[in-house]
Amino acid sequence: MATANWHAQSAEKSLFGLGSESTGLSSADAVKRLEKHGPNELTVQKSTSPLTIFLSQFKELMVIILIIATVISAALGEYVDAIVIIIIVILNSILGFFQEYKAEKALLALQQLSAPHAAVLRGGKEISIPARELVPGDIIILRTGDMVPADCRLIDSANLKVNEAALTGESQATKKNFDILCDQNAFIGDMGNMVFSSTTVEYGRGKAVVANTGMHTEIGRIADLIRGQEFEQTPLQVKLDKMGKQIGLAILAICIAVFVVEIIRFGTEEILEIFMVAVSLAVAAIPEGLPAVVTISLALGLQRMIKKNALIRRLPAVETLGSTTVICSDKTGTLTRGVMNIKMIKTLETEYEVDGEGYEPKGNFSTNGNIVKPDSDMVLNRLLMAGTLCNDSKHIQEDGVWTIQGDSTEGAFLVAARKAGLVPEELNKEFPRIGENPFDSDKKFMTVINNDISGQFMVFTKGAADRVIPLCSKKMVGNSTQPLTDDDAARIIKMGEDMASGAYRVLALAYLESEQPITTDDAEKNLIFLGLVGMIDAPRIEAIEAIAKCKKAGIRVVMITGDHKLTAVAIARQMGIADDKSHAYTGVELNDMTDEDLYKIVDKVAVYARVSPEHKMRIVSAWKKRGQIVAMTGDGVNDAPALKKADIGIAMGITGTDVSKEAADMVLTDDNFASIVQAIEIGRGIYDNIRKFVRYMLSTNFGEVLVIFLSSLLGWPLPLIAIQILWINLVTDGLPAVSLGVEPSEAGVMDRKPRNPKDSIFSGGMIYHIVWVGALMTIGTLGIFAYGLGDDHEANLTRARTMAFLTIAFFQLWHVLAIHIEKDTVLSKKFFANPYLLVAVAVSAILQLMVIYVPYLSSIFQTMALPMYEFTLCVLVSSSVFFAVETEKAIRRRKDGLARKAPVKVKA
């Protein structure tokens, strides 16, 4: 039953095929079917326990290395260091736990969408039963406000409109009619004779036969897609895991080498001290502050994003946003305002423009830039009157906010009428409706008959231009009517086509006046044509600006919508998403493509229209297969699988369903595309800060390791003892390094192309920087150490170690001051943009001087007070790294400037 195309079969055939009849099933038959098909509910696989998810966070190599470092630090008596590291490990694991645990909640949210009860016919009698007891073949009754309890084929309907936004993403209610047949390959939103589980009846009534229940419904299929998505690490997590493995192996190799060389030199008599030094070196070399800096950077970025209307549900997503290369965005409400507004009115004589946005009845009518008063323009006034009376919706104000109850297209007429000074409620009282021919999807127009207190009868018709024009024999010109010629009709059709090509939804309006009563059979004859109305869900101005910003930043924007192809393409062109070379495909066309076909052309497609949840997942997969970092927006239940599949799932906070929010990594509190781009800008800055931290920590750690290693090879005494190494690791490394996490974003962060997702965290010359800075620190520290040793190594050892200790600590402080701004000189105002860093450097310097010049501390750290000239010498030598890095930045700025000035070579 689940595979039958009931929408392509008549109501009678569907009833027969489902073994049912219009009076419903018998109770006995329903029981048998319930045993066969199971309850009408969504099933969820047994979930992983929270404890299992939490413990799995401790399997990563970097975490294991940090745990080993904790044990060693405690064994060395460095309890503060041990406590700090273990707090970092636990915090990191908690974040990872929430990242995976939230996936379970998306499926639970789906279960809550189901209707609790359903009105069914059993043995010809209407009864209310729990919706979970519905079976294929049941006849259900649908009324305004009902949630549809299963996927059904309509067998009767009257003015039925169903909101299918949860499945299609389109907020406008879909008109339903039982007496039509749909194409076998029709998109869900085009199945006008079907209703689907978890959608809502907005207007009218209907009767339907249940076709599919439970996991066989469209909503059940989406639940399967969500359940089938495996948890994936973010790009940053992948890079950090890889870096952790590389660092772990390097540290192990170096520490073993130091241990072996020292054993060869001193034998086993000093084995305990040698082991302590090797272990201390290992602890110092591990960038245990990295998880803390990443967490702080992401948490602060999260706070900044909240202020930009972006609520992050998964912390690593903050950085992933910064690496985004492709944004697949929904159209309605995200790129556009999500509100239909009449923007253009055309009669055979005049073209009017209407301004104002949203449901607020504020705006003017103008022609050629001159404001027009509708009450003094007979044709315009009559047209607005027709759109108001030929209307089943309401425009109401609650708590100062204007909203529409009913169809958004009809609502646009009511808003325009109020802008013109008309009051819909008063018009309906003055001209009460006495008859109507409801909208029909075949004839594509609706007609109402009204009369007034004087006894005058009036007919108003609105609908598709090509259907309304044949009903007209006259046209309204000024205060009179004239015959409507064939040329007039052709011109009107052409006007409508031109408006439609600009993404306008076009409706024609006509009317008729008579002193004699008019029946519904005679109402649609010899009408008087009034004009065409063009309405549009207008693009957000800020979204257009954000798309331009994306282009400059090298980010590709793709529109994925449930709307029609022509409308979507027109909007995409207006917004700068598509051009003449761009391709556009519908869901039906995607069905004819293999995944390999889609992979080949995905980078050429700007618009996808009338797509299903599977299509959205295929599109995301094709981009990811190309190595791109994909952000996907969505608000409906149908978007949830793709939101979970994407690197960054972005749900809508206002219009979004709970299911989409649970599946997403980020929620836009204003449903605005521009907020995504602002969040990406913050994300890029965060990744820059993480790279600054890695550059700083690994440069200094490499210098420390090299100092110990080379001194061993040279046969010198060790320049640093275990407690000094750990002090540098905790204080002069730790405080400034963590403060890098709050560094403001660099200027022009959105003027550069996205980083290559395949690039290592060490890309862009970082390894070169780490090597030469580490080498400079090593040469400077060992040079100072050699100077301090003089000719009598044994007598001068404490003095030499103190000088080496001070020099390498200040090397690191000078280094962080130079690299915290990546491009600008330290003479710029940006040098002072991060006061936390300046304070951290000052505090670290003071603490470093204290362990040298405070007697009690100097005895613990085995240092001695240095005379001023030796202190000055250490500071001057260590400052060399500051000037060297400034020189490196100046060379880079010069190269960048020459590259920008270089002439562009044009191929002949």
Side-chain angles (χ1 to χ4, degrees), residues 431-477:
F431 301 94
R433 185 183 302 184
I434 59 173
E436 66 179 296
N437 286 329
F439 178 87
D440 182 276
S441 57
D442 285 333
K443 65 181 185 180
K444 296 184 178 179
F445 59 83
M446 73 173 286
T447 300
V448 295
I449 305 171
N450 303 66
N451 69 354
D452 60 16
I453 54 176
S454 66
Q456 183 89 350
F457 292 89
M458 305 185 78
V459 172
F460 298 103
T461 298
K462 79 170 190 294
D466 60 334
R467 301 300 179 91
V468 173
I469 301 304
L471 308 179
C472 300
S473 60
K474 295 180 180 180
K475 61 185 179 183
M476 188 171 185
V477 180

Side-chain angles (χ1 to χ4, degrees), residues 597-733:
D597 293 335
L598 180 58
Y599 169 79
K600 290 176 181 177
I601 57 95
V602 70
D603 62 327
K604 299 179 180 65
V605 184
V607 177
Y608 297 91
R610 311 302 272 177
V611 291
S612 69
E614 290 90 348
H615 295 142
K616 293 183 179 183
M617 287 181 63
R618 288 180 63 197
I619 294 163
V620 171
S621 296
W623 275 114
K624 291 181 73 172
K625 190 176 177 182
R626 281 180 167 266
Q628 303 300 313
I629 305 299
V630 185
M632 171 80 190
T633 75
D635 54 6
V637 176
N638 63 320
D639 296 316
L643 291 176
K644 196 175 174 188
K645 177 73 175 176
D647 296 293
I648 287 287
I650 305 171
M652 303 298 110
I654 300 173
T655 60
T657 60
D658 287 342
V659 179
S660 65
K661 292 174 187 176
E662 290 293 349
D665 304 293
M666 182 173 94
V667 178
L668 297 183
T669 57
D670 62 348
D671 290 10
N672 194 336
F673 180 85
S675 298
I676 302 174
V677 181
Q678 290 176 327
I680 287 174
E681 187 169 351
I682 294 171
R684 286 191 173 190
I686 288 167
Y687 186 75
D688 287 347
N689 288 349
I690 292 170
R691 275 177 50 89
K692 287 175 186 177
F693 172 85
V694 172
R695 181 186 294 115
Y696 171 65
M697 286 297 290
L698 295 189
S699 297
T700 55
N701 289 4
F702 179 62
E704 291 173 33
V705 171
L706 212 54
V707 164
I708 301 297
F709 184 59
L710 288 180
S711 63
S712 297
L713 290 180
L714 293 170
W716 293 0
L718 291 176
L720 301 168
I721 59 175
I723 193 170
Q724 291 172 348
I725 293 172
L726 292 171
W727 172 260
I728 291 171
N729 185 52
L730 181 64
V731 179
T732 54
D733 270 8

Side-chain angles (χ1 to χ4, degrees), residues 193-309:
N193 55 15
M194 297 285 294
V195 289
F196 299 97
S197 177
S198 303
T199 60
T200 307
V201 178
E202 275 200 0
Y203 190 81
R205 54 184 173 77
K207 187 187 294 185
V209 56
V210 174
N212 296 311
T213 60
M215 295 301 289
H216 296 295
T217 61
E218 288 295 323
I219 204 80
R221 196 162 52 84
I222 290 171
D224 257 343
L225 292 174
I226 295 176
R227 190 166 56 190
Q229 293 302 306
E230 295 295 328
F231 166 75
E232 294 183 14
Q233 288 186 312
T234 67
L236 177 63
Q237 289 172 317
V238 172
K239 287 183 173 70
L240 293 181
D241 281 352
K242 184 178 180 180
M243 189 185 80
K245 293 173 184 176
Q246 293 169 338
I247 291 173
L249 293 173
I251 289 169
L252 185 63
I254 291 172
C255 291
I256 290 174
V258 169
F259 184 75
V260 170
V261 169
E262 290 295 296
I263 288 292
I264 292 172
R265 284 183 59 204
F266 298 105
T268 57
E269 293 180 5
E270 304 289 334
I271 189 168
L272 181 59
E273 184 178 345
I274 294 169
F275 175 74
M276 286 296 193
V277 170
V279 166
S280 298
L281 193 60
V283 172
I286 294 170
E288 77 279 4
L290 181 58
V293 168
V294 170
T295 301
I296 290 169
S297 298
L298 296 181
L300 291 173
L302 184 149
Q303 293 300 320
R304 293 203 296 273
M305 287 182 181
I306 288 174
K307 295 176 183 177
K308 300 293 185 181
N309 301 306

Side-chain angles (χ1 to χ4, degrees), residues 358-665:
Y359 296 133
E360 189 81 13
K362 293 181 180 179
N364 294 309
F365 295 77
S366 60
T367 178
N368 297 322
N370 300 314
I371 294 178
V372 175
K373 292 184 177 180
D375 58 358
S376 62
D377 187 318
M378 189 68 178
V379 179
L380 179 58
N381 187 271
R382 183 57 56 90
L383 181 145
L384 294 171
M385 180 179 172
T388 303
L389 293 172
C390 190
N391 201 310
D392 291 323
S393 297
K394 292 181 180 180
H395 184 215
I396 60 174
Q397 187 179 32
E398 294 179 341
D399 299 324
V401 178
W402 287 93
T403 58
I404 295 295
Q405 285 185 352
D407 184 78
S408 60
T409 300
E410 292 192 330
F413 281 100
L414 301 179
V415 174
R418 286 193 195 273
K419 289 177 182 178
L422 299 176
V423 181
E425 293 81 7
E426 292 180 4
L427 275 178
N428 279 293
K429 287 180 181 178
E430 188 178 349
F431 301 94
R433 185 183 302 184
I434 59 173
E436 66 179 296
N437 286 329
F439 178 87
D440 182 276
S441 57
D442 285 333
K443 65 181 185 180
K444 296 184 178 179
F445 59 83
M446 73 173 286
T447 300
V448 295
I449 305 171
N450 303 66
N451 69 354
D452 60 16
I453 54 176
S454 66
Q456 183 89 350
F457 292 89
M458 305 185 78
V459 172
F460 298 103
T461 298
K462 79 170 190 294
D466 60 334
R467 301 300 179 91
V468 173
I469 301 304
L471 308 179
C472 300
S473 60
K474 295 180 180 180
K475 61 185 179 183
M476 188 171 185
V477 180
N479 296 331
S480 62
T481 61
Q482 299 175 8
L484 185 74
T485 66
D486 291 342
D487 288 342
D488 289 332
R491 186 175 153 215
I492 293 168
I493 295 297
K494 180 65 168 61
M495 281 165 41
E497 290 173 350
D498 291 342
M499 292 167 72
S501 66
Y504 287 96
R505 182 172 296 166
V506 183
L507 292 177
L509 292 104
Y511 84 106
L512 179 65
E513 283 183 302
S514 174
E515 295 181 357
Q516 302 300 319
I518 303 174
T519 65
T520 53
D521 292 335
D522 297 327
E524 294 159 352
K525 298 175 183 177
N526 298 314
L527 299 179
I528 302 167
F529 175 75
L530 289 168
L532 299 178
V533 167
M535 59 185 70
I536 190 172
D537 178 8
R540 293 177 182 263
I541 300 299
E542 61 272 28
I544 295 175
E545 294 170 353
I547 289 167
K549 203 171 186 180
C550 283
K551 284 187 175 181
K552 194 174 183 181
I555 301 169
R556 178 73 181 274
V557 180
V558 179
M559 180 188 289
I560 302 180
T561 179
D563 207 345
H564 293 281
K565 183 176 177 179
L566 289 177
T567 303
V569 169
I571 292 288
R573 285 182 174 172
Q574 287 181 27
M575 303 193 74
I577 295 173
D579 55 30
D580 293 338
K581 297 179 181 178
S582 302
H583 295 193
Y585 289 96
T586 64
V588 173
E589 291 169 323
L590 289 179
N591 286 337
D592 296 331
M593 290 186 193
T594 63
D595 288 342
E596 188 62 28
D597 293 335
L598 180 58
Y599 169 79
K600 290 176 181 177
I601 57 95
V602 70
D603 62 327
K604 299 179 180 65
V605 184
V607 177
Y608 297 91
R610 311 302 272 177
V611 291
S612 69
E614 290 90 348
H615 295 142
K616 293 183 179 183
M617 287 181 63
R618 288 180 63 197
I619 294 163
V620 171
S621 296
W623 275 114
K624 291 181 73 172
K625 190 176 177 182
R626 281 180 167 266
Q628 303 300 313
I629 305 299
V630 185
M632 171 80 190
T633 75
D635 54 6
V637 176
N638 63 320
D639 296 316
L643 291 176
K644 196 175 174 188
K645 177 73 175 176
D647 296 293
I648 287 287
I650 305 171
M652 303 298 110
I654 300 173
T655 60
T657 60
D658 287 342
V659 179
S660 65
K661 292 174 187 176
E662 290 293 349
D665 304 293

